[in-house]
Amino acid sequence: MQTQIFHLQNLSALHVGTGQGVGVVDLPIARAKSTNLPLVPGSAIKGVLRDELVAQSLITPSDVNTLFGPDSALDDAHAGAIAFGDANLLLLPIRSFGGTVAYATCPFILRQYKRDSKANLENLQIPQLDGSDDNTVSARVIADSSLMISGTGRIALEDLDIQAYDNDNTQEWADAITESLFPESTKDYEDWRTQVAKRFVILPDDIFSFLADTATEVRTRIRIDRKTRTVQQGALWTEENLPADSVFWGVLGVSQSRKKSDDRSAQDLADLLPKKEIQIQLGGKHTVGRGFCRLLLTSDNTQEA
């Protein structure tokens, strides 16, 4: 099986929900059970990608059936050759006093990202955020970060005031992530890389976990009674969204063809996937503009599993 990394960035607020809530939010977003970090289920991406490959004529219908399996069990039933893992949170946009917005991550996430990316990031060190010399909480930014509050050596994210330091390791992580997120085929890719890197911050795990719980968008929705022009009885609810420009990564695998009349190898089928940005729409609330995303399927990090 050939495995490779994919990246996903939502261009508008994203609601991939669980269908019900047990807390104060009626419709929360999907989260990993063990970490409570937001995720996008691989099944959601796989189904939408299949439709887009057909709609945009990026590969032939026959090859789509080989990769994803036939639409109907009556049509030469066989399993698909492609498998999508869940998309895990890599960068979370956080409101910032300096630079407007911060693109935050943490050592826990970077360790998982490095594991999945394998050879591409093997020379990068996982940052150690044990605090400064006086044991205060600290973050890591690049040297010319837009997040730093002038003359203080600190950043302010949401309601948190955090000591921050720059080092070469943070710059290397910012470069590696932005190069994957904005390849040269992206319009104005150099400017996007620069602007995201200047707002890149590595936070301690516990602070990032707190912000991932509290810094998402919660929107109130209503339905109006046509006669009274007031909120219809029982038609007031809240829903959680990931803010625009959140970034995810995941792993997809491609096996050899499972169609009896097709003997192509895993590499042959992996080469069918378009090596460019694909515009897709994920999750619910699509009629109100939620879930516009850019999906990047890269071949530079293909590995034999």
Side-chain angles (χ1 to χ4, degrees):
M1 174 177 283
Q2 297 289 331
T3 62
Q4 64 185 65
I5 293 290
F6 66 87
H7 292 85
L8 180 74
Q9 181 184 29
N10 58 306
L11 305 178
S12 64
L14 175 64
H15 177 83
V16 179
T18 60
Q20 60 182 354
V22 294
V24 295
V25 178
D26 297 311
L27 297 175
I29 58 175
R31 293 176 178 270
K33 181 65 174 178
S34 57
T35 64
N36 207 41
L37 293 176
L39 59 77
V40 177
S43 57
I45 302 173
K46 182 180 179 182
V48 172
L49 178 61
R50 178 188 181 123
D51 289 344
E52 287 300 323
L53 292 177
V54 173
Q56 299 182 31
S57 300
L58 296 174
I59 61 177
T60 67
S62 175
D63 287 338
V64 168
N65 286 341
T66 301
L67 278 170
F68 293 88
D71 281 329
S72 170
L74 300 177
D75 302 331
D76 187 22
H78 63 84
I82 193 169
F84 265 86
D86 294 339
N88 306 292
L89 185 63
L90 178 59
L91 298 179
L92 178 66
I94 303 292
R95 178 169 58 92
S96 172
F97 183 83
T100 305
V101 64
Y103 295 99
T105 188
C106 67
F108 175 82
I109 287 177
L110 294 179
R111 186 174 290 107
Q112 291 184 311
Y113 184 58
K114 180 179 179 179
R115 174 201 63 195
D116 291 344
S117 296
K118 298 181 180 177
N120 285 29
L121 304 176
E122 63 181 2
N123 295 324
L124 294 186
Q125 300 298 314
I126 303 299
Q128 302 297 319
L129 305 184
D130 298 328
S132 61
D133 294 337
D134 59 358
N135 291 322
T136 58
V137 173
S138 63
R140 297 292 183 270
V141 295
I142 68 170
D144 59 344
S145 175
S146 298
L147 304 177
M148 298 292 284
I149 302 173
S150 180
T152 66
R154 307 182 75 83
I155 61 176
L157 307 181
E158 292 288 336
D159 297 323
L160 303 178
D161 183 12
I162 307 170
Q163 188 75 38
Y165 303 93
D166 64 83
N167 59 22
D168 292 340
N169 186 41
T170 306
Q171 182 70 63
E172 291 170 353
W173 275 108
D175 291 342
I177 292 173
T178 56
E179 285 173 10
S180 296
L181 191 59
F182 302 106
E184 294 187 8
S185 59
T186 304
K187 183 180 180 181
D188 300 326
Y189 72 96
E190 288 184 348
D191 183 58
W192 277 112
R193 288 182 185 179
T194 300
Q195 295 305 318
V196 171
K198 290 174 68 174
R199 293 163 175 80
F200 179 77
V201 58
I202 304 174
L203 298 173
D205 291 339
D206 55 349
I207 292 181
F208 184 87
S209 180
F210 170 76
L211 289 172
D213 285 341
T214 61
T216 56
E217 296 181 11
V218 177
R219 302 188 183 186
T220 301
R221 300 285 304 280
I222 63 174
R223 184 164 61 245
I224 297 295
D225 186 294
R226 289 181 177 273
K227 294 181 179 180
T228 65
R229 305 309 296 169
T230 59
V231 178
Q232 187 171 319
Q233 183 68 29
L236 173 69
W237 75 94
T238 56
E239 58 189 33
E240 186 180 19
N241 298 271
L242 275 165
D245 287 334
S246 300
V247 177
F248 300 81
W249 96 93
V251 180
L252 68 86
V254 182
S255 69
Q256 66 185 34
S257 175
R258 291 168 176 168
K259 187 176 181 179
K260 293 180 180 179
S261 59
D262 191 333
D263 60 356
R264 281 178 289 183
S265 68
Q267 185 61 61
D268 291 335
L269 296 183
D271 290 340
L272 295 175
L273 294 172
K275 309 304 186 289
K276 66 175 186 176
E277 176 183 318
I278 304 173
Q279 299 287 330
I280 60 176
Q281 190 168 20
L282 290 173
K285 320 303 175 186
H286 66 280
T287 59
V288 288
R290 310 289 167 79
F292 288 108
C293 300
R294 49 193 298 265
L295 176 66
L296 296 101
L297 306 174
T298 57
S299 59
D300 295 340
N301 48 25
T302 300
Q303 301 284 334
E304 185 76 33

